[in-house]
Amino acid sequence: MARPRKPLLSRERIVGAASALVDAEGLDAVSTRRLAAQLGVSGPSLYNHFRNKDEILDAVADAVSAKVDLSMFDESDPRDWRTALHDWAVSYRAALTEHPNIVPVLARGPGRRPAGLRVADAVFGAMVRAGWPPAQATRIGALMRYFITGSALGSFARGFVDDETAYDPGDYPHLGQAHLLADRQEEIDEGAFETGLRALLDGLAAQYPTAATAARAGGAGRSRADGP
């Protein structure tokens, strides 16, 4: 009886194995030797698909970017720029919180990653269509990435231990309930994200009339150099 054939090695299989390893153990756990062992292949066979570990991690990061909903930035979508940014930010953060260990790679920017570049292109294009000058559209994309990736890098609530004795009122008179925060992690972290996102969008909305007027008038910020 013929022995079953092993599945052919592919970029998708390598990325899937690397993603599972990053999720379980973090970035430092990934090595070509370990991935090859998990996939049941020789180490050099991975180099037919990726040149090194960094390329593998880039691909893992891009697979996460590909999960982000960009439909709100379609020209046919009826959502205004503020609602589109809000809904995209929520989708983006949801993708990152499912894979928090890869966030440091994503935080470096899209580089040459196709899905990451599609995200940047969609945000910038939508903001310019909405009337933001290109320079401002670039800054909006940057500040949104700072905010979203920063919020996904760690949990504020879980930064406090659940030991009441760690917060002596003589030293920390306002942290009497800090030991309870970890039990309310989702509520606190999600609420903080929404609070910050609304404040950020409120600030942009206050700037929008002036920025849109400048864009219509062909004022500062129209040069190609102001693009991403």
Side-chain angles (χ1 to χ4, degrees):
M1 183 175 178
R3 296 174 65 184
R5 296 177 60 188
K6 291 182 179 178
L8 293 175
L9 189 62
S10 65
R11 287 180 63 91
E12 290 72 23
R13 284 191 67 210
I14 297 169
V15 171
S19 180
L21 192 55
V22 170
D23 286 346
E25 301 183 35
L27 297 172
D28 291 340
V30 178
S31 69
T32 54
R33 178 179 297 180
R34 186 167 181 185
L35 286 174
Q38 289 192 349
L39 292 165
V41 300
S42 63
S45 63
L46 270 65
Y47 298 118
N48 293 325
H49 302 277
F50 297 98
R51 290 183 296 179
N52 51 44
K53 170 183 171 177
D54 287 342
E55 282 197 355
I56 294 172
L57 292 178
D58 263 353
V60 171
D62 215 37
V64 174
S65 293
K67 297 179 180 180
V68 180
D69 182 15
L70 298 177
S71 63
M72 66 287 296
F73 297 130
D74 291 343
E75 294 191 45
S76 60
D77 193 281
R79 281 170 280 192
D80 62 19
W81 66 267
R82 176 177 174 145
T83 305
L85 280 180
H86 175 277
D87 294 351
W88 166 69
V90 170
S91 175
Y92 194 179
R93 182 174 183 271
L96 298 190
T97 53
E98 287 183 6
H99 307 279
N101 290 337
I102 199 65
V103 173
V105 178
L106 284 159
R108 295 200 294 259
R112 297 177 181 271
R113 300 193 294 267
L117 290 170
R118 282 193 290 272
V119 171
D121 181 74
V123 175
F124 178 76
M127 294 305 100
V128 171
R129 285 198 308 275
W132 288 95
Q136 284 289 82
T138 299
R139 294 171 192 142
I140 290 170
L143 72 89
M144 293 297 290
R145 183 166 64 83
Y146 298 155
F147 176 70
I148 298 165
T149 56
S151 74
L153 279 172
S155 165
F156 175 83
R158 289 200 179 278
F160 296 87
V161 299
D162 61 359
D163 179 2
E164 186 174 4
T165 64
Y167 307 104
D168 187 321
D171 295 323
Y172 315 108
H174 307 297
L175 296 182
Q177 302 297 306
H179 65 289
L180 303 175
L181 294 179
D183 289 337
R184 300 170 54 203
Q185 179 213 342
E186 185 173 352
E187 173 192 349
I188 293 169
D189 291 346
E190 292 288 338
F193 177 74
E194 279 292 339
T195 298
L197 182 57
R198 285 196 302 271
L200 187 156
L201 295 174
D202 284 347
L204 289 176
Q207 298 177 37
Y208 178 68
T210 300
T213 298
R216 286 194 298 268
R222 279 285 183 190
S223 70
R224 286 184 179 273
D226 290 323

